[in-house]
Amino acid sequence: MCVKRKVFHENILNTSHSVYLCKMGGCTNICSSLSKYQFNSRSHMSTDMAADQRKEPGVVIKDGWAGYSLELFNCPEHYRGDLECVYIPHGVIMNRIECLARDILEDIGHHDLMVLCVLKGGYKFCSDLVESVKAQSCSANRRLTTRVEFIRFKSYLNDQSTEDMHIIGPDDLSMLKGKNVLIVEAIVDTGKTMRALLQHVETFQPKMVKVAGLLVKRVPHGAVELPDYVGFVIPNRFVVGYALDYNEYFRDLNHICVISETGKQKYKV
Ligand code: HPA
Ligand code: MG
């Protein structure tokens, strides 16, 4: 049995110069034998057509992108020496989120939504995304209820991923049964968190599960499967801000920025 999923072309995992995304959103068919984590039970949607017609995987930021000079943006003074550049300005993030909210509404058809927010990095994205979904649904004169639950993974120390990854969150997610579930993650790199969560969520028998990822990072051996809604595809650089942290610092920064070596040393544990 084959399912429709957006997938990364293998080239994207290795390239150091340019971005190659293959058949994005263009109903790439992958057979269920490709991965043991096939999501053939994920999408029980009547609106996959709309998703398929979206040509872009998200805003693709190329490897050579140096970001904007910090002087051009309003950044907290206490972080000045700790940042290299503004990578994605806050306004751009917000505008992109409006587009993701529009796509989500197009797919779920203004039906009630159970949102599963992956803490801590996802809290701003989740909050802004849910607000935008509500606002757009309201201005279309539709009614939709949203409920947000929170889940947490601990897997990063300094800028390195650690092997032991465990879910900290509500033990009982039985409220997901029969519901449209949207998992909201700030960043997807190896895809480990996304896979683990999808497996976990599926055990509660939701009607449909979709994943929104603000950032998808091009890392070696990165996620083969893309989230259903992608904000930005970014190079393999450690970014902070907009709730993304480095040892709990920088969450209070509105822009997404690249941390400097000085910053890494200063906040190292
Ligand atoms: N920044 C913050 N947290 C992260 C990142 C990152 O670039 N990648 C994975 N977790
Ligand atoms: Mg973190």
Side-chain angles (χ1 to χ4, degrees), residues 72-230:
L72 298 172
F73 288 89
N74 188 12
C75 290
E77 209 43 51
H78 56 280
Y79 286 142
R80 282 241 162 223
D82 310 328
L83 300 168
E84 209 174 289
C85 63
V86 173
Y87 216 51
I88 314 175
H90 185 249
V92 176
I93 300 168
M94 295 304 284
N95 198 299
R96 184 76 195 115
I97 288 174
E98 282 179 27
C99 297
L100 299 185
R102 178 202 59 201
D103 293 347
I104 290 165
L105 279 172
E106 202 171 81
D107 290 349
I108 65 160
H110 298 260
H111 290 116
D112 295 345
L113 196 57
M114 277 295 307
V115 179
L116 204 52
C117 170
V118 182
L119 293 174
K120 293 180 186 178
Y123 91 86
K124 268 182 195 275
F125 175 41
C126 183
S127 163
D128 290 333
L129 186 64
V130 170
E131 281 312 306
S132 189
V133 164
K134 280 162 47 186
Q136 291 185 44
S137 183
C138 189
S139 63
N141 271 330
R142 305 289 289 268
R143 276 166 177 267
L144 133 159
T145 64
T146 51
R147 172 170 167 177
V148 184
E149 292 289 333
F150 299 92
I151 199 154
R152 201 174 157 200
F153 280 81
K154 190 95 182 92
S155 65
Y156 261 74
L157 190 65
N158 297 322
D159 57 353
Q160 297 302 311
S161 173
T162 57
E163 270 310 305
D164 51 326
M165 187 179 68
H166 47 271
I167 299 177
I168 312 162
D171 293 331
D172 183 18
L173 286 174
S174 55
M175 77 293 267
L176 303 184
K177 188 167 180 170
K179 295 287 191 322
N180 294 324
V181 178
L182 179 69
I183 297 173
V184 179
E185 249 194 288
I187 192 156
V188 173
D189 48 16
T190 61
K192 263 188 344 186
T193 312
M194 188 170 90
R195 280 198 299 273
L197 248 182
L198 279 166
Q199 270 196 317
H200 186 61
V201 166
E202 287 291 355
T203 63
F204 297 96
Q205 299 176 301
K207 179 171 152 211
M208 175 278 282
V209 188
K210 294 281 181 184
V211 181
L214 179 64
L215 306 177
V216 171
K217 205 191 270 195
R218 288 190 300 275
V219 295
H221 315 295
V224 174
E225 303 235 26
L226 287 171
D228 301 280
Y229 310 101
V230 176

Side-chain angles (χ1 to χ4, degrees), residues 53-85:
Q53 278 159 12
R54 274 173 224 134
K55 295 278 182 294
E56 305 291 334
V59 173
V60 178
I61 299 180
K62 295 197 175 170
D63 284 1
W65 172 235
Y68 298 100
S69 159
L70 293 165
E71 305 311 315
L72 298 172
F73 288 89
N74 188 12
C75 290
E77 209 43 51
H78 56 280
Y79 286 142
R80 282 241 162 223
D82 310 328
L83 300 168
E84 209 174 289
C85 63

